[in-house]
Amino acid sequence: MALFGNAHPIDPAQAAQDYARLLGQGETVHAAYLLIRDTILFTDRRLILIDKQGITGKKVEYHSIPYRSITHFAVETAGTFDLDAELKIWVSGTQLPITKTFTKGVDIYEVQAILTQYVAR
């Protein structure tokens, strides 16, 4: 399903090892998703979006979004004919949401629970 651009879960412990240089001291990865070459990390402190660019993917942009900057979010569950779920996140100071698409195999309610836990603090 990654060929269609949809995210799927990856092991948080492996993601923490792969991206250890991005994490602060004591920061924990609670969930991680792979989207073809890009990665989404939900840590106990922030949301990290890893955007590999170009043909080779050697150029990488890292977006670090503290949960306190998220003004609201929405999830759209997968349907019978629409096989993917969507996550939309609005960050303070921006008008358009960040939108990520997940395969039907991803528990979008788990994603919502993680955001709820940290955004609602």
Side-chain angles (χ1 to χ4, degrees):
M1 289 299 285
L3 292 176
F4 296 108
N6 295 337
H8 62 276
I10 57 176
D11 179 42
Q14 184 62 49
Q17 282 184 339
D18 293 346
Y19 297 104
R21 294 175 63 189
L22 297 178
L23 302 176
Q25 186 175 5
E27 188 172 12
T28 305
V29 176
H30 284 275
Y33 299 91
L34 183 65
L35 174 59
I36 302 178
R37 300 184 309 172
D38 299 343
T39 305
I40 305 166
L41 303 178
F42 292 90
T43 78
D44 57 340
R45 300 179 188 169
R46 60 197 165 128
L47 175 65
I48 303 172
L49 305 175
I50 302 157
D51 180 15
K52 293 187 178 179
Q53 301 174 353
I55 295 172
T56 63
K58 288 187 179 192
K59 182 176 179 180
V60 182
E61 184 173 38
Y62 301 96
H63 295 267
S64 178
I65 304 168
Y67 291 118
R68 68 181 176 275
S69 298
I70 298 173
T71 58
H72 68 283
F73 60 90
V75 293
E76 181 181 297
T77 61
T80 303
F81 299 107
D82 184 12
L83 299 178
D84 49 279
E86 269 191 1
L87 169 65
K88 294 181 181 179
I89 300 172
W90 284 264
V91 178
S92 62
T94 62
Q95 292 183 350
L96 298 176
I98 297 168
T99 303
K100 297 295 177 184
T101 304
F102 296 81
T103 62
K104 192 172 186 176
V106 170
D107 184 357
I108 197 69
Y109 295 107
E110 176 184 308
V111 174
Q112 179 178 351
I114 292 168
L115 281 171
T116 299
Q117 179 180 356
Y118 293 111
V119 173
R121 284 185 180 179

